Amino acid sequence: MVVAVAAMRILHVTNSYLPRLGGIELHVRDLAERQRAAGDDVLVVTAERDPRGTASPGIVRIPTTPGAIGARPHLVGLMRQWRPDVVHAHLSVVSPFAWAALRAAAHDEGAARVATLHSMLPAHPGLVRHGLRRSGIGTDLAFAAVSRVAADRLAAALPPAVSVTVLPNGIDPAMWRVGHVPDPTFRILVVGRLAARKRPLVALDALSRLRGLAPDLRWQATFVGDGPQRRQLEDLIRRRDLADQVRTLGPQPRETIRHHLARTDVLLCPASLESFGIAALEARCAGVPIVAMAGSGVTEFVRHGSEGLLVSGDADLAPTLLYAADPRVADHLRATSTTTPTGLEWSVILERHAALHRAAMTAQGRGVLRCASRYARPSEARPVRRPRAPRSRHPAGAV
C-alpha cells in the first residue's frame, strides 16, 4: 500500500544567494528546485542583492545591513503572510540574517525550525556555545550539518540532549559523469572561492614544491574561482615564475567545469576547514582522483586510497600530488570513483530533508523538540494555538 505524504510549505533562509556563487548558494537553489518538482511549496528568502535586477519567481530578497539590523519586521511579516510549515535556515559561521529568521520563527507556533550548518566551526566548544547564545536562536530546534566532521564540531557546543543530523549536499551523478581525456601533461585543478578559508595560497605553495620535487614532470595547474585573494594569488604566480604552468580563470559555469574535469588528472582541495566540498563531490562523480585534507568534510565521500588521497598536513600535499601522477595510482583511484556510488544522489538527499522536516514539524506540534532522537518523550499537552490566517501563495516582495 502506498501512503501519500502531504506536501510541505518550506521557507529556505540564507544570508547569501545567487548570483553570488558558492556552496551554500548553489545547494539552496538546487534543493529548492527539486523540492518544488517533488510537489512541495518552496520559497527562498535571502539578504543577497541582485545587481542585475533579474526577476526570479520563488525568491524574496530583503536587502539589509551586514548585521541584519532591521530585517526582523520584514521576516515576521513574510512569515505571517506566507505561513510556512518549516523555516529552514542555512548557516555559515556568521549568519545574522538567517539567525534573525530563526528568532522570528520562534514566535510563530505554526512553523517548525531547522538549521543546517554549512561551515566548519572552530574546535572550541566554549567559544561556539557563546556564539550561539549571542545569536539568540536557542537550542529548541532541529540542528543539522553537511558532514559528520561539521556535525561533531556543532554537537560539542550543544546540550547533550540535542542531536545534530548529518544532512549532506546532493548531487546528480549523471550530470558530472564525463569520459577522461588522456593527456601527456599531468593536469591539476583547484575549484573554489579564492579566500583564506579555502587556502588557495597553500595550494600554490604545494605546486611550487612539486616543481622542486619533480623538475622533469610535465604538469599544468588551473584555479577556477574568484575571491579576495585572487590578486595576491596571481602576484605570487608571477613572482615564483609559475605563469607558464599555473593559470587562473575566475568563476566558471558548471558546464565549463565539467569540460575541465574531463581533462583533469587530480583535483587539489587544500582547505582544512572544508565542511563538505561540493566541488570535490562533483569531481568524485566525474571519476577525478582527489587530494584533500584528512580532517575535512571531503571524507564524507572520499576514502583514502579508494577515491582519493587524504593528507594530514600541508607538507604532504606536494609529495602526494607526485604520487597521484603515477598512472597506476591514478587508474586505480579513477576506477574506484566511477564504480562506487556516493550515496548522495538527490533522491536520497531529498528524502533525508523530508524526514528531518517531518520530524521537526511533529516535535513542534507537541511543543517539544526531539528531532533525530530514538527515544520518545512522555506525551505532553498540546499547546493552544492562535488561529492561523489564510496563507498567501505569492508573498509581497517575491521577485
Side-chain angles (χ1 to χ4, degrees):
M1 180 178 66
V2 177
V3 179
V5 178
M8 287 179 275
R9 180 164 278 204
I10 305 164
L11 181 66
H12 288 294
V13 186
T14 173
N15 273 59
S16 58
Y17 195 64
L18 304 177
R20 175 176 172 147
L21 291 176
I24 293 180
E25 297 83 359
L26 291 171
H27 169 73
V28 174
R29 191 272 306 277
D30 292 346
L31 175 60
E33 287 182 351
R34 283 166 171 81
Q35 286 174 327
R36 289 189 191 104
D40 291 320
D41 197 358
V42 183
L43 186 67
V44 176
V45 59
T46 179
E48 188 74 39
R49 298 174 184 268
D50 187 350
R52 304 167 303 181
T54 306
S56 303
I59 302 172
V60 174
R61 299 182 186 271
I62 303 177
T64 183
T65 64
I69 298 172
R72 179 183 169 84
H74 299 284
L75 290 164
V76 169
L78 175 65
M79 291 179 196
R80 288 177 178 173
Q81 180 185 9
W82 200 62
R83 309 302 295 181
D85 296 310
V86 178
V87 174
H88 191 151
H90 298 268
L91 310 177
S92 56
V93 174
V94 180
S95 302
F97 183 79
W99 294 342
L102 289 173
R103 291 194 298 267
H107 299 285
D108 183 353
E109 294 178 3
R113 299 190 300 158
V114 177
T116 296
L117 179 66
H118 292 259
S119 297
M120 193 83 81
L121 294 173
H124 301 285
L127 179 63
V128 176
R129 197 173 297 117
H130 175 71
L132 285 170
R133 284 197 297 267
R134 291 292 301 270
S135 74
I137 65 175
T139 57
D140 57 334
L141 65 153
F143 284 100
V146 292
S147 65
R148 172 48 54 195
V149 293
D152 288 345
R153 291 273 183 100
L154 176 57
L158 295 171
V162 179
S163 59
V164 181
T165 300
V166 177
L167 201 61
N169 292 350
I171 191 77
D172 179 1
M175 175 181 175
W176 295 97
R177 199 169 290 126
V178 296
H180 179 55
V181 180
D183 191 312
T185 300
F186 180 58
R187 298 196 177 276
I188 304 164
L189 185 64
V190 184
V191 179
R193 185 163 168 74
L194 301 182
R197 193 175 184 85
K198 298 293 187 178
R199 307 209 305 164
L201 304 185
V202 171
L204 186 64
D205 286 342
L207 295 173
S208 297
R209 290 197 295 271
L210 175 64
R211 182 175 60 177
L213 284 175
D216 295 330
L217 177 67
R218 181 179 172 184
W219 61 270
Q220 292 281 335
T222 300
F223 285 79
V224 173
D226 204 355
Q229 287 195 332
R230 181 174 179 179
R231 179 174 294 180
Q232 184 180 1
L233 175 68
E234 292 173 341
D235 287 344
L236 284 173
I237 291 171
R238 288 190 292 270
R239 285 162 50 189
R240 296 183 184 183
D241 196 25
L242 285 169
D244 290 340
Q245 291 177 282
V246 182
R247 60 176 179 165
T248 60
L249 297 185
Q252 300 294 319
R254 282 175 164 173
E255 186 57 39
T256 301
I257 294 174
R258 284 181 73 253
H259 173 81
H260 285 291
L261 287 173
R263 291 156 177 79
T264 293
D265 294 294
V266 66
L267 181 81
L268 175 58
C269 305
S272 55
L273 293 178
E274 185 67 82
S275 59
F276 184 78
I278 187 63
L281 179 58
E282 292 164 353
R284 158 85 163 74
C285 292
V288 175
I290 296 163
V291 171
M293 308 305 291
S296 72
V298 173
T299 56
E300 199 71 21
F301 49 86
V302 172
R303 298 167 297 169
H304 179 67
S306 293
E307 298 86 15
L309 301 168
L310 303 174
V311 304
S312 57
D314 296 350
D316 297 326
L317 287 171
T320 304
L321 286 172
L322 181 57
Y323 179 66
D326 184 325
R328 294 168 298 179
V329 174
D331 288 346
H332 168 71
L333 298 176
R334 191 176 295 278
T336 307
S337 292
T338 53
T339 58
T340 306
T342 66
L344 301 175
E345 296 77 16
W346 269 114
S347 58
V348 175
I349 299 305
L350 282 177
E351 178 50 40
R352 291 173 71 168
H353 276 81
L356 184 59
H357 289 167
R358 289 193 295 266
M361 289 167 60
T362 299
Q364 187 278 335
R366 293 175 181 165
V368 58
L369 181 72
R370 297 295 292 168
C371 188
S373 174
R374 296 181 182 179
Y375 306 102
R377 184 165 176 165
S379 59
E380 298 184 11
R382 196 175 186 86
V384 177
R385 299 190 182 192
R386 61 180 179 272
R388 292 172 67 107
R391 301 199 292 189
S392 170
R393 189 165 187 84
H394 302 287
V399 295

